[in-house]
Amino acid sequence: MSVTVRFAPSPTGRLHIGNIRTAILNWLFARKEGGRFLLRFDDTDLQRSKEEYVVAIREDLQWLGLSWDEEARQSDRTARYDAVAEQLKAAGRLYPCYETADELDRKRARQLARGLPPIYDRTGLKLSDEDRQKLESEGRVAHWRFRLANTEGADSLTPLPTLINWIDVIRGEQTVDVGSLSDPVMIRADGSYLYTFTSVIDDIDLGISHIIRGEDHVTNSGVQIELFNALGATPPQLGHHSLLVAADGQALSKRLGALSIASLREDGLEPMAVVSHAALIGTSDPVEPHTDVAELVELFSPSKISTAPARFDPAELATLNAKLLHELPFSMVADRLKGLRIETDEAFWNAVRGNLEKFDDVKEWWSVVAGTVTPVIEDAAFATRAAELLPPEPWGGNTWSEWTKAVKEATGAKGKSLFHPLRLALTGREAGPELKVLLPLIGRPRALARLQGQAA
Ligand code: GLU
């Protein structure tokens, strides 16, 4: 079977680490199976959907390197939804209801008070044409519910336990009892469609083979399978991944603003760190940085995705980002370094990458080798002696050890008391990349000046 999956965000906000995980799992699945990955904007909620979010979602996906093969927008497809709605109305699967939200609340409260499940009582199904006319003449406008197939016969209105089963590609055997659910509203009184409805029509029309989404949609899947069946379509295979929780186990939802992809990008995180993290948390694979997405494609399998909530800790992402930078080869950063006006070669990058947490930290180390440093001199006599012993250029891989050997012999300093003052003088910093590699990059004139206490 050819694989087609979709990522279907509602453009009502920015993408965050939680929904990007859904996108990445779908994307990896498509690439692994040689299939297609579609981007669908679920923008039927016209009040909350905004064009700026459509643009931002595309930008975020592009930044992460998640290219899509086709784009669809629900707001372009109203005519198709209208046609399907007419078909389901004619078949008696969509029926009009007239209760207000308040009336429904009161009904539920009464049911609960009597110890009954708060399921919609299908009053709408009992209305005659005259009843409807009367309600409409009072100014009421119908909303439409989908009649779940959960009764003994079409005439009975009393729902019976009705199990919808599927083998979830992530969670294994799944069951939803649609006998315990209210007939869901599919068309609001203002004529707008609910996502449950439009999504199924799109999934049919776009040939979606697998729906991979969060486990908050499991119950929805029971209803949607009924809708696929009502439309004579075979439901796609379903996979529901667990949701992200904060490191303390609490829901992430409140903190998601800070975890938007835009804010991670502004914080200077590497896209491949975000992708690696989102692809691997909550799976049986170790959460490690991958510089090449092909490795993540290779690793991906729905069966590796855990059903337990995946814990997201921003500190872990920061660590992963640093680890990724420490591994990045010069060839992958040469252009970015040029963009920062760092005209350098592999030796500099290899010397400093192990000290970076964010890519931009490289600017600091570039200023140490090619800019101005205010040296820290704790013992002027020691520094002067070390300056006198600086060997003549050219400098190379052995310069540091030859020079420090000479300084050690001349001053008697060794270990930390030899190396630490030299580091403070040469770099103005307590810690940093190996001086063996930095020293030749700093060069003799700067090293000499710094040892003499001059900013250079
Ligand atoms: N727009 C829906 C959401 O963001 C899509 C769910 C689905 O993948 O079907 O929750």
Side-chain angles (χ1 to χ4, degrees):
M1 176 186 39
S2 70
V3 163
T4 304
V5 292
R6 82 299 192 278
F7 174 52
S10 302
T12 54
R14 304 291 308 238
L15 292 183
H16 50 68
I17 191 77
N19 45 27
I20 210 65
R21 183 161 170 253
T22 309
I24 289 169
L25 296 177
N26 275 286
W27 191 91
L28 291 172
F29 185 54
R31 292 293 170 269
K32 177 100 186 196
E33 300 295 328
R36 286 157 42 83
F37 172 76
L38 314 187
L39 172 60
R40 186 183 87 199
F41 289 106
D42 286 0
D43 57 352
T44 52
D45 184 341
L46 297 174
Q47 313 251 289
R48 291 173 61 229
S49 299
K50 296 214 164 65
E51 190 59 28
E52 66 186 86
Y53 293 129
V54 169
V55 173
I57 288 170
R58 287 195 199 114
E59 251 171 43
D60 289 344
L61 291 174
Q62 276 158 354
W63 179 70
L64 292 165
L66 305 177
S67 49
W68 54 100
D69 300 298
E70 192 181 326
E71 187 177 304
R73 261 172 107 138
Q74 294 197 323
S75 55
D76 292 340
R77 292 176 39 79
T78 314
R80 171 75 180 132
Y81 305 143
D82 291 345
V84 175
E86 286 317 310
Q87 178 193 332
L88 289 177
K89 285 178 189 176
R93 294 302 296 272
L94 281 179
Y95 63 92
C97 301
Y98 293 87
E99 295 88 347
T100 64
D102 277 351
E103 286 164 350
L104 290 171
D105 279 347
R106 267 178 270 137
K107 271 190 192 186
R108 276 192 289 268
R110 279 199 300 275
Q111 286 168 314
L112 288 169
R114 287 163 54 208
L116 297 171
I119 296 177
Y120 179 61
D121 61 7
R122 291 179 158 154
T123 298
L125 264 179
K126 298 168 211 158
L127 299 173
S128 65
D129 286 350
E130 291 85 68
D131 295 334
R132 287 191 59 193
Q133 270 162 22
K134 183 162 177 293
L135 287 162
E136 287 179 12
S137 68
E138 288 166 8
R140 294 197 185 231
V141 182
H143 56 272
W144 296 76
R145 287 185 189 261
F146 174 60
R147 184 184 172 149
L148 294 167
N150 59 12
T151 57
E152 199 76 72
D155 295 339
S156 164
L157 298 186
T158 315
L160 296 170
T162 306
L163 303 185
I164 302 283
N165 303 298
W166 70 92
I167 305 293
D168 195 283
V169 295
I170 296 171
R171 296 161 66 91
E173 208 165 301
Q174 291 294 296
T175 302
V176 170
D177 176 10
V178 293
S180 68
L181 303 177
S182 296
D183 288 339
V185 176
M186 297 290 180
I187 311 176
R188 299 184 187 90
D190 67 3
S192 64
Y193 292 101
L194 277 105
Y195 142 82
T196 324
F197 181 71
T198 50
S199 182
V200 167
I201 301 168
D202 292 345
D203 288 338
I204 296 171
D205 291 353
L206 296 169
I208 299 302
S209 64
H210 294 73
I211 296 176
I212 298 173
R213 58 186 177 188
E215 66 184 10
D216 48 338
H217 284 288
V218 167
T219 307
N220 223 349
S221 288
V223 171
Q224 290 188 324
I225 287 174
E226 281 230 347
L227 200 47
F228 279 105
N229 293 339
L231 295 172
T234 307
Q237 291 202 53
L238 293 153
H240 295 88
H241 61 76
S242 63
L243 301 181
L244 289 190
V245 293
D248 59 6
Q250 301 292 306
L252 260 192
S253 49
K254 290 197 188 66
R255 277 162 267 181
L256 285 177
L259 297 173
S260 71
I261 300 308
S263 67
L264 299 178
R265 177 170 57 218
E266 276 152 28
D267 279 355
L269 291 173
E270 299 296 303
M272 276 309 294
V274 179
V275 170
S276 302
H277 197 258
L280 297 171
I281 39 173
T283 72
S284 51
D285 286 316
V287 182
E288 307 226 302
H290 291 269
T291 54
D292 184 352
V293 77
E295 294 166 9
L296 291 171
V297 172
E298 187 58 35
L299 282 174
F300 178 83
S301 163
S303 62
K304 289 183 180 174
I305 303 171
S306 161
T307 53
R311 279 172 198 267
F312 175 76
D313 182 353
E316 237 178 66
L317 176 56
T319 306
L320 192 84
N321 192 71
K323 272 174 97 178
L324 179 98
L325 289 170
H326 304 171
E327 286 174 13
L328 275 185
F330 179 67
S331 59
M332 289 181 82
V333 295
D335 288 343
R336 291 172 71 188
L337 291 171
K338 282 205 189 97
L340 294 176
R341 305 223 180 120
I342 297 180
E343 297 291 341
T344 185
D345 58 13
E346 198 160 354
F348 167 73
W349 174 251
N350 289 350
V352 304
R353 63 181 175 178
N355 287 79
L356 308 181
E357 285 180 11
K358 307 268 173 73
F359 185 76
D360 272 10
D361 297 347
V362 73
K363 290 193 263 187
E364 180 183 344
W365 297 112
W366 183 241
S367 78
V368 166
V369 304
T372 305
V373 158
T374 306
V376 177
I377 307 283
E378 287 177 336
D379 177 344
F382 172 83
T384 305
R385 191 75 191 99
E388 287 163 8
L389 290 166
L390 276 176
E393 284 184 311
W395 284 2
N398 295 326
T399 306
W400 170 255
S401 60
E402 283 164 15
W403 176 48
T404 50
K405 190 162 167 260
V407 177
K408 180 179 170 184
E409 276 163 16
T411 64
K414 54 182 181 197
K416 196 174 176 219
S417 56
L418 170 65
F419 300 122
H420 190 59
L422 294 179
R423 176 178 290 284
L424 285 175
L426 290 170
T427 69
R429 285 155 179 82
E430 290 282 343
E434 267 193 282
L435 284 166
K436 176 176 151 49
V437 208
L438 278 194
L439 185 66
L441 296 168
I442 292 171
R444 197 172 195 283
R446 273 194 184 84
L448 182 63
R450 291 176 190 172
L451 288 161
Q452 291 167 341
Q454 298 156 22

